[in-house]
Amino acid sequence: LRLPQTFAAPLALERLHASLSWSQESEGWRLQAPDLAWGLLGSEGEAQLDLRLLPGESPRLKLEARLKAADAARLKPLMPLRWGPHLRDWLQHALVRARVPEAVLRIDGPLADFPFHARPTGSWSLDIGVADARLDYQPEWPGVDRVRAQLKFAGNGLRFEAERGLISGVEVLDASGSIDDFSTGSLRIAGRTRGEAGAYYSFLRGSPLATRLSGLVGHTDAEGLAEADVQLDIPLHSNLGQKLMVEGQVRLPGNVLRITGLEEPVRDIQGALRFSAKGVAAERLLASYYGAPVQALIAANAEGNDELQARLPVDLDAERGIAARFVPRWVRERLDGRTEAELHLPLSGPR
């Protein structure tokens, strides 16, 4: 089946069954197919079709179709030409696999005005349930696996709600997103995640943020559960100068940080980290080191590099603790009382 105005390649139907009836009415011809069924690129579908051919007017279609597919990636040749080459190229690379248990397509209106966003003379929608999907949304970034979501196409855009996914071992609790306009829009996603701090480190090490946060991911490791809210703005049209934007916040409920070269880890870290493609920041973090309370923040230093700045009390008379570990005994024997230590730990290179 060749539809050169709609699809780039011919559609190789594996199976087609239909009962057709046509009649001439007072306003023109009418074609009906109440039990249309097909097999196409590994998908199976059935539909009811009612097409009116009116003199001097665009054909008017009323269609309700249901289909399922074991692997939606095989259906990439069905991407409409009206989506434009940049969006179709992104989908070609991003969609690795996806199972479609059910999808429902509804069209009602004159075909000349489809998809009815410029001239609202009709309506259309495509509701797709997706399971076990893999999405490589951006080169050099870890992909999302085991995605289960509901997608709704309408007008010239898309909205979706996802209820699960997995990215570098981090669980996606829920996510939502949209493409407002297939011709010019980007893919915007907002989601909540939860996982072991080590899994978040795996994500960072597998992303372009690893260079920016080399001091953090190269010389520390973290333990304990964490949660993060993430917002992504993924470019779909490179010709429009769009760039990937990522930002979010990580909540630390009492984690452990192990720093290379130090025997004792930093314990019970509490607070929130903000991150973006430019780096990481935190206004107030609380922790414990050798039993001493730690207050810290993360901010850009004078050179523009992200830096952890921490303060903690030091008891010079204690037999155990920071002074006992790092200050030679012969020095401590000549000192008494308490003081405050300040730590500056670079987390990254230049912006």
Side-chain angles (χ1 to χ4, degrees):
L1 178 63
R2 298 181 184 274
L3 299 170
Q5 300 301 315
T6 305
F7 304 113
L11 305 182
L13 288 163
E14 298 153 1
R15 178 175 61 86
L16 179 63
H17 170 80
S19 297
L20 300 176
S21 65
W22 61 91
S23 59
Q24 187 173 21
E25 301 178 343
S26 59
E27 296 180 343
W29 286 93
R30 184 178 186 181
L31 174 66
Q32 293 177 292
D35 59 352
L36 179 64
W38 70 88
L40 173 64
L41 299 173
S43 70
E44 299 289 331
E46 56 185 27
Q48 297 82 45
L49 178 149
D50 188 344
L51 181 65
R52 294 177 180 269
L53 305 173
L54 309 178
E57 298 183 21
S58 170
R60 187 175 186 93
L61 174 66
K62 186 172 184 178
L63 172 72
E64 180 166 331
R66 296 179 180 273
L67 64 90
K68 59 183 179 180
D71 186 3
R74 291 189 59 191
L75 301 178
K76 291 176 183 178
L78 299 181
M79 291 186 289
L81 290 173
R82 68 172 58 249
W83 284 0
H86 298 281
L87 174 58
R88 287 186 283 115
D89 183 65
W90 179 81
L91 284 169
Q92 185 70 33
H93 292 88
L95 181 60
V96 179
R97 63 177 179 272
R99 182 169 57 86
V100 178
E102 183 180 46
V104 180
L105 170 65
R106 295 182 176 92
I107 301 175
D108 188 356
L111 292 179
D113 295 337
F114 182 85
F116 311 115
H117 65 292
R119 296 188 62 192
T121 58
S123 64
W124 89 284
S125 65
L126 174 59
D127 298 301
I128 304 177
V130 172
D132 304 322
R134 165 78 184 191
L135 188 68
D136 289 342
Y137 54 91
Q138 190 74 5
E140 301 180 358
W141 286 79
V144 187
D145 216 346
R146 303 183 191 176
V147 176
R148 185 166 63 224
Q150 291 290 327
L151 287 70
K152 184 176 184 66
F153 293 78
N156 202 40
L158 159 70
R159 298 189 180 279
F160 73 87
E161 299 282 342
E163 57 186 61
R164 67 160 296 175
L166 195 68
I167 178 169
S168 295
V170 175
E171 181 184 6
V172 179
L173 301 176
D174 57 65
S176 61
S178 65
I179 302 174
D180 292 335
D181 189 323
F182 288 137
S183 301
T184 60
S186 58
L187 172 58
R188 297 177 179 177
I189 302 174
R192 296 188 306 122
T193 67
R194 178 178 60 200
E196 287 289 333
Y200 284 101
Y201 264 57
S202 295
F203 171 80
L204 292 173
R205 287 168 177 150
S207 78
L209 293 176
T211 301
R212 177 63 188 160
L213 301 177
S214 58
L216 178 67
V217 299
H219 301 286
T220 70
D221 281 294
E223 302 172 2
L225 283 172
E227 294 186 352
D229 299 330
V230 182
Q231 294 83 44
L232 293 168
D233 197 330
I234 300 172
L236 305 179
H237 303 276
S238 56
N239 60 316
L240 299 180
Q242 297 174 345
K243 294 183 179 180
L244 175 71
M245 296 181 63
V246 55
E247 61 182 17
Q249 178 174 273
V250 180
R251 293 178 293 279
L252 306 173
N255 297 82
V256 173
L257 183 71
R258 299 187 181 276
I259 303 174
T260 301
L262 299 182
E263 295 179 1
E264 179 72 11
V266 181
R267 302 181 185 275
D268 196 25
I269 303 173
Q270 301 180 45
L273 300 174
R274 300 188 311 278
F275 64 90
S276 70
K278 296 181 179 180
V280 64
E283 295 179 357
R284 187 169 186 263
L285 297 173
L286 302 178
S288 173
Y289 188 57
Y290 277 98
V294 179
Q295 296 188 34
L297 59 85
I298 300 175
N301 58 22
E303 289 75 32
N305 303 328
D306 294 334
E307 184 178 77
L308 173 67
Q309 304 167 19
R311 293 177 179 272
L312 66 161
V314 178
D315 186 348
L316 298 172
D317 299 321
E319 291 299 321
R320 297 185 62 186
I322 298 172
R325 175 63 181 84
F326 295 103
V327 180
R329 177 178 291 277
W330 65 269
V331 176
R332 286 189 287 113
E333 290 174 347
R334 290 164 172 77
L335 301 173
D336 58 40
R338 297 171 64 88
T339 186
E340 185 177 74
E342 185 172 312
L343 169 70
H344 292 259
L345 177 65
L347 302 180
S348 63
R351 290 182 187 272

